[in-house]
Amino acid sequence: MNTKIASQPLHRHAATPLRTGLSRENAILTGLVGSVRQLSGSPLATVCLFGELRAFSSATSLLEESDRRVVMAMSRRVLESSTGLWLRDLRGEGVVALPTGNGQPSGLRSFAGVPLVLGGVRVGCLAVLDFHAARADHDPLSILREPAGVISALLEQWRETRRSESALAQRDRMIESVPDGLMTVAHNGRVLSVNRAAQNVFGITADGTADSHLVVDVENGARLVRGRDSNDVLSQDLTVLLGERRRMLAFHADGGRRVVELKVDSLGSDVDDRLLVIVRDVSQLDEARQLLELHALIVEKTESAVLIMNSRQQIQWCNAGFERICGFGLEELVGQDVRELFFDALAKDDGREAFSRTVEHGEAFNEELNWRGKGGRSFTIALEGHPIFDASGQLSKYVALGFDVTDRKQRAQRKSDFVSMVSHELRTPLTVIAGALDAIAEGVAGPQADFALELVRMGQRNCGRLSTLIEDLLDINQIESGVTRFDNRPIVMAMLMRDALGSMSKIAQEAGVTLRMGPLVNEAQVQADPRRVTQVLLNLLSNAIKFTESGRLVELSSERQGDQLRVIVSDQGPGIPNAFKPKMFELFSRDPSVEASGKEGFGLGLCISKGLIEKMGGQIGFDSEEGVGSSFYFDLPLLALESQSTPIAENGSTPA
């Protein structure tokens, strides 16, 4: 026999799968060892495997610990030989130093053992021992070789059995872990086995498949039925579905239904022509697919423009809405640099650089951009884009949704041009009328009757109203068109507040209203346009005085709100009705009760104030309670101490 000595310690061979079912195997080994003992006429026979005493048969009693040590020492010597080891007298020949343990010598005198071979490797030995020295004419090795071959064959058989069982167990675990339903069935659908996924699809247990049949109807779906007498079972042959994948309904035991893909495959004639049925639950995939198709349909049919571009700002896809706006087809757009193809290259500042910086930093954008379409036609799209990042956090693409605002921009431009034209055309005659009325009031045309002077003063007041209206309309027009200029610089808000309060003192006195300065944050600085801030202050103070009854109080104050400075104008007027509060800052918006009271105004002041404050990076709001009063406020970002410089007054001088 071609064998070799294992190079590793004996106990390491125990990794060979022989551990399962040790009780049964040891019992067989013990029986074989007993037969060997009787055949050899020895009082003791053993089997050692993988450095362990696995079985022994004794005609006398159990082995002592010292005897066990001798057996194990001799078995190691056997593994070093190719044919076996026979020692007639362990003591007399002095071949090996025998371990005695605790000073108690072993009583064993003779030893004969042959190797046990597993897969070409010596893994143990079959041995017989005696408490007497053996006769010289005795040859126990010849007796041991045949039973050693039997035991080696058994070991090989057991190992293969264990391997097969392990492979089957591994296969079963794999089948159970597969997300698809797997069933083995006969040609007529009789269920032979099911995995857990198939049990979930049909709502059954492994025990519930006994005497069950899989009935497949390509139109009505698949279901499990019990019993063999069903007409459906008797009439069907699943082999007609071999190799086909069909989408159908699967009926659950609780009455529910699922959408599945069912495929029938043959397992081959070597397994009695059984069939393998694969059932994949695609209910969620089907719903997701339908939802994606619906979304794709909505995206494709919407009038809005949908654009997808990569991180290099090259177009990857667009919908029909974008094609309609720009005039190009998808095949002309894919791969094109969105900046070169669509931005208005003739414009002095087409927003290209700012757009590129935004995209390169992976930031969302919401811009109105002038682009050119096919044939040089220009158009404007309000485009809102959002970045998409991959799993590593790198910018992958942008998805942008846009609306064609060309007509709206053109209408806004026409309105702006019209307002500017009308305002400028009205200014000249209004200036002439106001100058003439002033001259008459000053007596240039001679003495006038009291009635005539009253008419002149009425004309002067209305000229002032018209002049204010024109200025307000121009302000609104400039704010909406984005051409309002701001001279932002560090200012001490308390300075402007004191100046505004002084400017309104005469008007407050005439109205019988007390005008008072409240608590101030004296040293706080903001970055703003002093003229525009003053305009807002005068507007808020004017409104507060207008709606406060004689004898009541109007207060101007400021306070810190985190990194913001809040300026507050509080009055003791009638308050704002709850129904009117949402319209407070709308253009030409006036409370009906105010109009009924005869108080002058056009509903422009608060709208202008809101636009100015927001353009300077702030926000405006109010708190009001009917019958108690109102507080209008605006917030502007405070300058950090390290960035503050010497504040400049409106006239260019530094404050005292």
Side-chain angles (χ1 to χ4, degrees), residues 202-225:
F202 292 101
I204 59 172
T205 62
D207 296 337
T209 59
D211 201 26
S212 293
H213 286 72
L214 174 67
V215 177
V216 179
D217 186 323
V218 293
E219 295 183 358
N220 298 322
R223 66 185 187 278
L224 288 181
V225 298

Side-chain angles (χ1 to χ4, degrees), residues 489-491 523-528 560 563 565 636-645:
R489 45 185 159 162
I491 58 173
E523 302 303 322
Q525 295 185 37
V526 297
Q527 185 84 6
R560 290 181 183 270
D563 59 353
L565 178 68
L636 288 172
L638 282 164
L639 282 177
L641 291 177
E642 60 271 15
S643 64
Q644 290 183 7
S645 57

